[in-house]
Each structure stands twice: as C-alpha cells, then as structure tokens.
Amino acid sequence: MQELWPSSGYRLLNRNGNGRLAVTDDFLRAYLARPEVAPQPESCDAERALHTELLDNPRLAVDAGRLGSLADPDAVENYEVVLAFRDRLIATDTIEACYRGLFEGGGSPVPVPPLFVDQLAHAILRSILEGCEDPFRARAAELFFRKQTALNQDGAILLGDDDTIAMYRQTGGFGSLGKLIAEAGTPMRQVELDVLNRDNAGEYWARSDRFDTVLDLTFGREGLDALCRVLESWVRHFFDIAVSVQPAQSITDEQWVWHVGLDAEATAILNDLYNGVAVDDERRARLISLFRMEFAEPAAIQPQVRGRPVYLALAMAADDTVRLKPQNLLVNLPLAERI
C-alpha cells in the first residue's frame, strides 16, 4: 500500500508521547518554501538574505524592522502572515494544540488563512489514519480539509473534490494543453471521475494526493459508514473519548436536547428545526446526512445531556458545495468541564 497523502506533511512531523504531532524545523521550513515567501527573480538582497537565514534556522526571531527592510510591500505582507502562523506553531508545540487554539473563545474570524487551517487538519487526519487500510475512510477524511461539490444522481448522493472538478471543467483533465483548448472554444469532454466502490477501492492509495475520486454518501453505503468512523476517530483523538456515530434518516426525538451542524448550512437548518421554525422543502433537500452520536462514558458530557444523543448534520450550500468544519466538533460538543 502506497503512502497516504504525501502532501500532508505528516512525514515532516514527530509524534510525542501523547500521540500528538510535535512541530519540527522541517515542518516549519515547508511553509518557508511556499511560493508566497520564496524569493523571486526580482527579490531584493535583503529578502534573499532573510529567506536564507530562515531556512537555516526556521525559528529565527524576525522583528518589524527586519521586515521593513524588504523592498517589496507584498513580500512584507506575506512574511507577516507566514511568520505569525509559524510563531503560533512554535508557541503551541503540537499541531493539534495549534489547531484547537485557533477556535478557542468562539471568536471570528480565525486568525490565520483558511488554507493553513486546512493544512493542519490534513496533517492531523493523516496521523489519525496511520495504519488504516480502508480507502473509504481515507476518502471520507478528505471532507475534513477539502471542499466538495455535491451531486444527486438518481437518488445517490455523490461528493467530488471541488478543486479537482473545477480543474477538469476548465482543462478537461489535460493540464495547460486542455486550458488552451478550452480558451480556444473547443468543446471539452464531460467531467468523469471514478466513484469509489469495492471494485476500484484499492486504486485509491496510488492516487490519494490527486483527490480525484468521488465518495458516495448515500444512506446505507460504505462511504457514509466510513465518514461515521472518521468522525468517531476525530473526537477520540482530541478528547480521548469514545463515541459512536451512526447515520440517521430523520430526527423524531421528542427529547432532542443537543445538536451540532458540521457546516454552516447544516447548523442553520438544525437550529431552525430545533426551534420549531419552518424549513421549506428546498432547504431540507440540502441536507446530505443526519447522524446520531452517543457517548460511551456519560460522565464525559454535561449533566443535562447525559443519556441523550447528540445529533449531527451535513448539508450542501446553495451552490451545491459542501464545506465540512471539523472544528465544530471541538467547540460545540456538550463536554463536561474536565475536558
């Protein structure tokens, strides 16, 4: 079995004694290699010198005066963003602590670019899936850090990677050549991506970094079950709590006490349903999946919720995109104070 998601940066990190991902110099250097901060042909000597020093010592303190010596204002701004994020990583020492700290207090906006948030989740999921041999779980985990496009095809709920679909629509899958053809007005072939199934699931590992398989989230199929298992693993990894997550077709619970939307649309719909606000058919149709979460240890959750399930939901936005926010499970579960 080939390496899962080489682009995650997982191999640049070390696990500490608690199973968390310790920040390393090599991981920090990966951010310094990003095109936003890597020197360009027109970069000034001060910028080149700074970049060289940071590669040698990625924890180097850089004050405002040093940044002010750079000739390019855009380079200064990019360095400010990357170094601020680097300082967060260094201060928290682990990827998990940095990720969780971004959402403490419930304030918004999140103080780092969304791309960096997704990259942290990417590395964390790669760690969680170490040793996993189930390609459906790996594909389901992509929802935690990559936006999807949803399609209802003959009653089946299919999710494809949004960026990959956009690329295929633009280039027909033929890279820059395809883009030239598209710009010339030549009709492109229809987007065709493989739906992950039992017959082709073994191919996922070799193409995992291409993000070009489609996940079937239809009720009762492997993809939805796999997503449940990843949700369980995410909660267990951060809180050391065992939970069971199962798909649900509806919520008929007269003692419904708690819910968590896994995205903005699902949160709004669940809030309205809980509060007795009418939800029209068009909005209801955006719900992709409902879930029932139960806790193995009642003492792990707040007294008013003990013995009751927590309902989860995943939905598509009006533009058919799905943006699962795994941080919602870190800040919105009714956990006891000791957590």
Side-chain angles (χ1 to χ4, degrees):
M1 190 171 66
Q2 298 189 34
E3 173 72 8
L4 173 64
W5 305 328
S7 63
S8 68
Y10 173 70
R11 293 301 177 189
L12 301 176
L13 296 159
N14 295 323
R15 286 194 188 209
N16 64 19
N18 296 320
R20 299 293 188 262
L21 295 172
V23 175
T24 65
D25 285 358
D26 283 340
F27 189 78
L28 297 176
R29 288 188 182 96
Y31 284 91
L32 298 170
R34 292 189 58 82
E36 296 90 343
V37 294
Q40 303 300 310
E42 64 274 14
S43 297
C44 67
D45 291 341
E47 182 180 341
R48 293 180 181 279
L50 174 60
H51 193 261
T52 298
E53 290 182 44
L54 282 168
L55 288 180
D56 184 60
N57 176 15
R59 299 172 190 260
L60 177 73
V62 181
D63 59 27
R66 182 77 186 270
L67 287 181
S69 69
L70 307 188
D72 184 358
D74 290 336
V76 173
E77 183 177 352
N78 290 338
Y79 266 103
E80 287 174 342
V81 171
V82 171
L83 291 176
F85 179 61
R86 179 207 64 170
D87 291 344
R88 281 182 170 271
L89 286 168
I90 294 172
T92 52
D93 195 45
T94 69
I95 300 301
E96 288 88 350
C98 183
Y99 183 87
R100 192 171 173 181
L102 295 174
F103 310 104
E104 289 180 347
S108 61
V110 175
V112 302
L115 174 64
F116 291 175
V117 178
D118 290 339
Q119 288 174 340
L120 293 180
H122 194 179
I124 294 168
L125 265 298
R126 175 60 186 83
S127 178
I128 289 173
L129 292 175
E130 176 69 4
C132 175
E133 297 183 358
D134 181 358
F136 289 97
R137 292 193 194 186
R139 177 59 183 87
E142 292 180 20
L143 273 64
F144 284 60
F145 56 89
R146 291 186 69 90
K147 183 167 69 171
Q148 307 289 306
T149 292
L151 171 67
N152 189 325
Q153 188 174 76
D154 299 325
I157 305 298
L158 306 179
L159 297 187
D161 187 86
D162 187 66
D163 285 344
T164 301
I165 289 175
M167 182 272 291
Y168 269 79
R169 283 173 174 164
Q170 182 181 25
T171 70
F174 296 110
S176 57
L177 175 61
K179 185 176 181 179
L180 288 174
I181 296 174
E183 290 174 348
T186 303
M188 300 301 298
R189 65 182 175 86
Q190 195 172 23
V191 175
E192 294 182 3
L193 303 176
D194 293 328
V195 178
L196 203 63
N197 57 47
R198 292 182 181 272
D199 293 332
N200 64 19
E203 301 174 8
Y204 175 84
W205 308 110
R207 59 198 288 186
S208 68
D209 245 359
R210 287 159 45 185
F211 305 107
D212 64 351
T213 56
V214 174
L215 185 68
D216 186 344
L217 278 189
T218 307
F219 190 87
R221 296 185 182 171
E222 292 94 340
L224 189 57
D225 179 77
L227 180 57
C228 290
R229 304 292 80 77
V230 179
L231 291 168
E232 293 171 351
S233 297
W234 180 261
V235 173
R236 183 170 59 249
H237 183 75
F238 276 94
F239 300 120
D240 195 25
I241 291 175
V243 297
S244 171
V245 178
Q246 300 299 330
Q249 290 185 296
S250 63
I251 301 177
T252 57
D253 192 342
E254 294 183 357
Q255 296 183 334
W256 175 359
V257 295
W258 204 279
H259 60 266
V260 177
L262 296 177
D263 59 89
E265 187 71 28
T267 298
I269 293 174
L270 285 181
N271 286 345
D272 283 348
L273 291 173
Y274 180 79
N275 292 311
V277 177
V279 177
D280 61 35
D281 291 341
E282 180 182 353
R283 287 185 69 206
R284 282 180 182 270
R286 294 180 191 169
L287 282 172
I288 292 175
S289 305
L290 294 169
F291 307 90
R292 178 186 177 102
M293 175 185 285
E294 297 180 314
F295 293 77
E297 295 293 335
I301 58 177
Q302 298 173 17
Q304 70 271 26
V305 189
R306 290 175 188 170
R308 306 303 308 162
V310 170
Y311 293 101
L312 313 176
L314 181 67
M316 69 180 81
D319 62 357
D320 296 333
T321 60
V322 178
R323 195 69 172 92
L324 192 152
K325 296 183 176 181
Q327 63 267 29
N328 288 4
L329 289 172
L330 304 187
V331 299
N332 294 329
L333 287 179
L335 301 180
E337 287 299 321
R338 68 179 182 85
I339 305 300

